[in-house]
Amino acid sequence: MSLACAWCGPRAQEAEAQARFGAVADGVAGFVGVAAGLPLNPLLPGVGLAFKAATFQHAESLPETERPRAYALAAASWQGSAAGNACAAASVLSGGSFVPTCIAVGAAWGWKTWSDSERERRDSERCEVLRAFVGKPKLPCAFMPRGIEQAAAPAQAVVAAQDLVAP
């Protein structure tokens, strides 16, 4: 049954990678915003770093099938925040005329990131239902991180003509 979802294998770590990218982008955009003169508390990017570390710690403690949703939510929040901060920094540097638009830019980017993770979140829920149905909580799912290990390909023996023995 788990082979039916094998085509989702490359997406296994995508939500976590998107969350890590969002965390870094949000941190950099926060520091750039403070440097550009945004009216932010300069400690905010540092406090955000501690919050991000706690979020990753919590996501790792969740059951395997709940992690994609947690990572997707973090990725959407942080990438949306990064887009909004970058837009606001550019606005402040150019005179501050379009700062209110940056809120919409951040919200739109966050929504796009959330929507892009829908397939992985849905596959995670399917895996959970499949495991409950068959009564095997550890059933490997090909699309989940660490869900299924690829078996090593059998070694093919090379036979040379001189190795053959006549009957």
Side-chain angles (χ1 to χ4, degrees):
M1 284 187 203
S2 63
L3 291 178
C5 296
W7 57 273
C8 297
R11 302 179 59 86
Q13 298 282 349
E14 189 171 319
E16 183 178 0
Q18 288 292 321
R20 291 193 187 283
F21 172 76
V24 171
D26 185 36
V28 169
F31 282 115
V32 169
V34 169
L38 281 175
L40 295 174
N41 184 339
L43 299 177
L44 193 59
V47 171
L49 182 64
F51 177 74
K52 290 172 181 120
T55 300
F56 280 114
Q57 182 78 22
H58 173 69
E60 279 299 312
S61 71
L62 292 173
E64 180 184 33
T65 55
E66 294 177 20
R67 287 182 200 153
R69 184 176 178 82
Y71 285 131
L73 182 59
S77 301
W78 295 332
Q79 288 186 26
S81 176
N85 287 343
C87 176
S91 177
V92 166
L93 292 174
S94 67
S97 60
F98 56 92
V99 170
T101 308
C102 295
I103 295 170
V105 167
W109 191 273
W111 184 256
K112 176 202 169 300
T113 304
W114 176 256
S115 297
D116 288 348
S117 70
E118 194 262 332
R119 173 183 236 160
E120 189 170 355
R121 290 181 283 122
R122 185 184 66 230
D123 288 345
S124 171
E125 292 167 1
R126 286 180 179 172
C127 182
E128 188 172 9
V129 169
L130 176 65
R131 287 175 174 171
F133 180 74
V134 297
K136 295 182 179 180
K138 302 267 187 209
L139 180 72
C141 294
F143 51 84
M144 299 298 295
R146 298 179 218 99
I148 192 168
E149 296 178 14
Q150 296 292 331
Q156 296 207 1
V158 177
V159 179
Q162 61 267 23
D163 293 337
L164 295 175
V165 179

